[in-house]
């Protein structure tokens, strides 16, 4: 049975899944209007969801142009349980805070700091505010 919640407050299951080492699929709109989906690390800071990327990547450019986004956060221990979050990008942050957050995400998912040689430009944190959340499983 699905549970749906409208508004910016995080559903408890969304918070739980984003807090754990569960992967998210992020969908954004390409300039052509087609949908692009990629797997990404996700987390929560207080009452905000965030992902971390680099400014040269297509998903970041897409979200700068059109802030609508969908995240589907899958429970890695039960793939039939997930939180779908439809929302908007409400801010971005670069510099040392974003670099620190990619290290935190890497610790959560890989158990070690993010390899500096993997950074091509700089890291950017993308803050996402839910508009509608659907919980399944």
């Amino acid at each position: 049975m699905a549970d749906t919640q409208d508004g910016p407050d995080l559903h408890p299951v969304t918070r739980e899944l984003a807090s754990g080492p569960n992967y998210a699929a992020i969908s954004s709109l390409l300039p052509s209007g087609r949908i692009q989906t990629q797997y990404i690390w996700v987390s929560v800071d207080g009452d905000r969801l965030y992902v971390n990327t680099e400014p040269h990547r297509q998903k970041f450019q897409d979200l700068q142009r059109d802030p609508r986004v969908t995240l589907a956060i899958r429970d890695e221990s039960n793939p039939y349980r997930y939180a779908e979050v439809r929302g908007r990008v409400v801010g971005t942050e670069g510099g040392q805070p974003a670099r620190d957050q990619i290290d935190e995400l890497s610790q959560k998912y890989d158990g070690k700091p993010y390899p500096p040689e993997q950074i091509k430009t700089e890291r950017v944190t993308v803050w996402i505010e839910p508009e509608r959340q659907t919980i399944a499983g």
Side-chain angles (χ1 to χ4, degrees), residues 101-114:
Q101 283 182 320
I102 194 61
D103 279 336
E104 290 170 18
L105 286 166
S106 188
Q107 285 288 348
K108 178 171 112 170
Y109 286 93
D110 288 340
K112 58 187 175 188
Y114 194 77

Side-chain angles (χ1 to χ4, degrees), residues 16 26 110:
E16 172 198 339
I26 187 169
D110 288 340

Side-chain angles (χ1 to χ4, degrees), residues 18-31:
S19 296
N22 298 299
Y23 291 90
I26 187 169
S27 297
S28 60
L29 291 173
L30 293 164

Side-chain angles (χ1 to χ4, degrees), residues 2-3 10 14-15 18 25 36 45 50 52 62 74 76 78 82 87 99 117-119 134 136:
D3 182 22
L10 290 179
T14 300
R15 179 183 303 283
Q36 170 183 243
D45 182 8
Y50 71 88
N52 190 295
D62 294 342
R74 178 179 101 149
E76 293 300 318
N78 176 2
Y82 63 88
R99 178 65 178 92
E117 65 274 8
Q118 294 294 319
I119 300 173
T134 302

Side-chain angles (χ1 to χ4, degrees), residues 53-61 64 121-124:
T53 188
E54 293 189 50
H56 72 277
R57 295 195 175 150
Q58 186 65 50
K59 67 180 154 280
F60 182 77
Q61 294 171 18
Q64 289 288 101
T121 55
E122 69 169 320
R123 299 307 302 191
V124 179

